[in-house]
Amino acid sequence: SRGLGDVYKRQGYMKYYIGVDIGGTNIKAGVVDENAQLVSKISLKTNAADGYKSVLAVIIDAVEQAVQLSGEDIDRIKTIGVGCPGTMDNENGTVLYSNNLHWENVPLAKDLAEYFGKRIILENDANVAAYGEYLAGAAKGAKNAVVLTLGTGVGAGIIINGEIYSGSNNAGGEIGHTVIEVDGAPCTCGRNGCFEAYSSATGLVRMTREMIEKYPSGRLHEMVDRDGKISARTAFNAAKLGDPEGREVVDKYIKYLACGITNVINVFQPDILCIGGGVCNEGDNLLIPLKAQVAKQIYSKNNAKNTEIVICTLANEAGMIGSAMLGRK
């Protein structure tokens, strides 16, 4: 009961962990209890352009503020987990390369450990977001899960038998950089036709812009003039109003998304596949046609148990919860 839980906390039995989610725009830090429940959280601007030492100071500030907001003492914190974009050397606690932060061979875990005197656990940001959803969100109760985040890129985290899969070089799970259109649109990774180039919010904006250029007098163009910019929701909003160009963009986007998701299911056959990101605010307008297309394409369509496709439930809290819970393991 809640009463017993309060007694448990007052008597000092509850264990607490800190989770840090580093993004190109914001750094989020939260105190999480042993039951994967977020106790407090704070979000601060990353200021990545100011360099590593500046970002390190922001991380430290965020952690200290999160602890203060929790009402707990830093001595009660067991470990600090950090989710960071890029490729990690988990054993040595080094960020080998992060394009978004302009980091290379950064000793992040060592620097944080020296400051806080705590064990620091470093992991890729998409992996910890997936772990958070697995422990406390849409994938809770699953044995095997894949979580895709459709944002600026396509982030991916893979959970196999309850463990994060990151490959033998800690760089596995880059589903966004598998090709779904040979010689297709260029991707930031240097390849052409990547899943990310078509199914990210960035890809959706690009396809919307291309349609506006093709039909400059259409409703899509009118909506952009009114809103002042093209967003990932522009085509969906136009489609809801019956605009044929908007509908064409939405159908094209869902077709590519279904292709990439079908590939993932055919490879991993997870219990559940969760999708997150702003475009998922479209709800059934996205999910219903997406599921219908995947159901037609998956190799295992006649199996009694097929992968369930759902929308993530933890939103911006998944990374904090997932990174914090690395310490519970």
Side-chain angles (χ1 to χ4, degrees):
S1 71
R2 183 173 180 179
L4 287 175
D6 290 341
V7 171
Y8 188 67
K9 178 179 177 181
R10 284 197 304 272
Q11 292 181 345
Y13 300 134
M14 186 76 78
K15 296 183 178 70
Y16 295 95
Y17 308 85
I18 290 175
V20 179
D21 185 9
I22 304 174
T25 304
N26 297 302
I27 290 172
K28 296 182 286 292
V31 174
V32 181
D33 69 24
E34 63 189 63
N35 299 315
Q37 297 300 305
L38 195 62
V39 177
S40 66
K41 62 180 178 179
I42 189 74
S43 178
L44 302 176
K45 292 295 181 184
T46 306
N47 298 324
D50 294 339
Y52 169 64
K53 290 298 183 182
S54 175
V55 176
L56 179 64
V58 175
I59 295 170
I60 291 170
D61 189 16
V63 169
E64 291 180 332
Q65 288 194 47
V67 173
Q68 185 177 15
L69 287 169
S70 74
E72 297 298 330
D73 190 278
I74 189 69
D75 293 337
R76 295 280 307 279
I77 304 299
K78 297 296 182 182
T79 58
I80 300 175
V82 181
C84 182
T87 305
M88 310 297 125
D89 178 347
N90 305 59
E91 291 184 9
N92 294 307
T94 302
V95 181
L96 298 176
Y97 180 69
S98 178
N99 178 59
N100 290 346
L101 299 171
H102 312 290
W103 289 356
E104 192 167 351
N105 295 318
V106 167
L108 180 59
K110 175 176 174 288
D111 289 340
L112 289 174
E114 286 181 355
Y115 185 89
F116 288 109
K118 302 283 183 183
R119 181 182 172 217
I120 310 296
I121 309 169
L122 191 60
E123 184 56 87
N124 173 268
D125 60 340
N127 288 344
V128 295
Y131 196 49
E133 288 289 343
Y134 166 75
L135 291 173
K140 187 175 181 179
K143 183 179 180 181
N144 303 303
V146 176
V147 179
L148 301 177
T149 304
L150 312 174
T152 303
V154 173
I158 303 164
I159 306 294
I160 298 178
N161 292 327
E163 299 289 337
I164 295 172
Y165 175 79
S166 54
S168 58
N169 61 351
N170 297 316
E174 290 293 345
I175 291 167
H177 298 296
T178 56
V179 170
I180 61 173
E181 183 76 68
V182 175
D183 297 327
C187 181
T188 55
C189 74
R191 301 184 80 187
N192 289 76
C194 284
F195 183 29
E196 178 170 298
Y198 290 91
S199 297
S200 62
T202 307
L204 178 54
V205 167
R206 174 183 55 79
M207 288 187 281
T208 304
R209 182 179 294 109
E210 290 170 351
M211 185 62 73
I212 290 171
E213 291 171 355
K214 186 176 179 181
Y215 299 102
S217 60
R219 179 171 280 175
L220 276 175
H221 199 220
E222 292 175 5
M223 295 183 72
V224 172
D225 285 343
R226 184 194 66 200
D227 298 338
K229 64 176 182 178
I230 302 173
S231 76
R233 305 197 73 171
T234 300
F236 277 93
N237 289 339
K240 291 172 195 172
L241 296 173
D243 179 59
E245 285 83 36
R247 172 48 55 191
E248 186 175 338
V249 172
V250 168
D251 289 347
K252 185 177 180 182
Y253 175 76
I254 292 174
K255 180 185 77 170
Y256 283 120
L257 182 59
C259 175
I261 285 176
T262 300
N263 291 343
V264 173
I265 291 173
N266 284 348
V267 172
F268 294 103
Q269 296 296 336
D271 302 306
I272 194 165
L273 186 146
C274 310
I275 55 174
V279 70
C280 294
N281 291 328
E282 294 297 332
D284 285 347
N285 289 323
L286 172 70
L287 206 56
I288 290 174
L290 175 64
K291 286 182 175 181
Q293 290 199 35
V294 172
K296 294 177 182 177
Q297 298 178 48
I298 55 172
Y299 182 76
S300 58
K301 61 174 65 71
N302 293 322
N303 284 5
K305 187 178 186 303
N306 286 323
T307 300
E308 184 181 3
I309 301 173
V310 301
I311 292 175
C312 294
T313 57
L314 295 181
N316 293 327
E317 297 179 351
M320 287 183 286
I321 293 172
S323 56
M325 289 294 92
L326 294 173
R328 191 178 70 174
K329 295 170 64 180

